[in-house]
Amino acid sequence: MSLPLVAPVFPAGKEPLPPGISEEEREAYFQAKRYQDYMTKGMESCVAKTIIAGAGGFGIGAFFSLMSSSFAYEDPLLRQNLSTQQKAREIFKEMGRGMWKSGKGFGQVGALFAGIECVIEGYRAKNDIVNPIAAGFVAGGILARNSGPKAVVGGGLAFAAFSAAIDLFLRRETADED
């Protein structure tokens, strides 16, 4: 007999299954649910967000460098006494060095910003426009720390404004198409 307005209590492992899942699939279903919970917890951690942002920034920076190196002016007289294979090797080495340098810079900026934003969001327990603005200000200040106090404030304000513009663009409401 069920009591009205009382939630049913089930023993652990004997909860009702979703429609379409048979009793034979119970263990596999709960194993998949556990993996899903592990992935969700991992993706919500600041460490994972920082690593993903750093890796993404590295990839984007390397790609930008690769694209910009295709427009670079090459002086043919600079390598006139090298064979074609040696010239190609030198050009690819330069491209690799540029991709590494640019990727490393973008990765550091991405990881720094994402880590600071995640810590601020965790501290405030809110997900609003204040988090990226504050994280942008702190990250911009850290990036400009070697250039003096005016540059720290200016870098912080510029990065905060850029972060606010990007976040406002990403959070905007789309018009309903009726």
Side-chain angles (χ1 to χ4, degrees):
M1 169 177 107
S2 66
L3 300 172
L5 301 175
V6 176
V9 178
F10 298 99
K14 296 297 181 187
E15 299 91 352
L17 293 168
I21 305 290
S22 68
E23 196 60 41
E24 293 82 31
E25 298 170 326
R26 178 182 289 275
E27 186 57 36
Y29 173 77
F30 283 117
Q31 182 69 28
K33 189 118 175 80
R34 278 193 296 274
Y35 287 153
Q36 183 179 5
D37 291 342
Y38 294 150
M39 291 300 292
T40 302
K41 288 176 186 172
M43 291 304 296
E44 290 175 355
S45 76
C46 287
V47 173
K49 287 180 182 180
T50 302
I51 290 170
I52 291 169
F58 182 85
I60 289 172
F63 180 74
F64 282 169
S65 178
L66 178 66
M67 291 298 107
S68 67
S69 69
S70 65
F71 298 114
Y73 173 71
E74 178 62 32
D75 185 9
L77 298 176
L78 183 67
R79 297 186 179 97
Q80 66 186 12
N81 57 356
L82 297 177
S83 70
T84 304
Q85 187 176 10
Q86 290 172 329
K87 287 179 188 177
R89 185 178 299 122
E90 284 297 316
I91 290 170
F92 283 130
K93 281 182 182 178
E94 284 180 26
M95 287 171 61
R97 283 190 289 268
M99 288 172 63
W100 175 257
K101 185 177 177 182
S102 181
K104 196 169 68 169
F106 272 70
Q108 288 172 344
V109 170
L112 178 68
F113 175 78
I116 292 170
E117 183 183 23
C118 187
V119 168
I120 291 172
E121 185 176 325
Y123 179 75
R124 292 184 67 233
K126 290 182 182 178
N127 185 356
D128 57 7
I129 190 71
V130 175
N131 297 339
I133 292 173
F137 184 78
V138 173
I142 290 172
L143 292 171
R145 71 187 179 278
N146 295 333
S147 300
K150 286 183 181 178
V152 168
V153 173
L157 290 174
F159 206 127
F162 180 73
S163 300
I166 295 296
D167 209 66
L168 286 172
F169 176 75
L170 293 176
R171 289 180 189 254
R172 75 184 190 290
E173 295 289 327
T174 56
D176 289 337
E177 299 291 327
D178 290 330

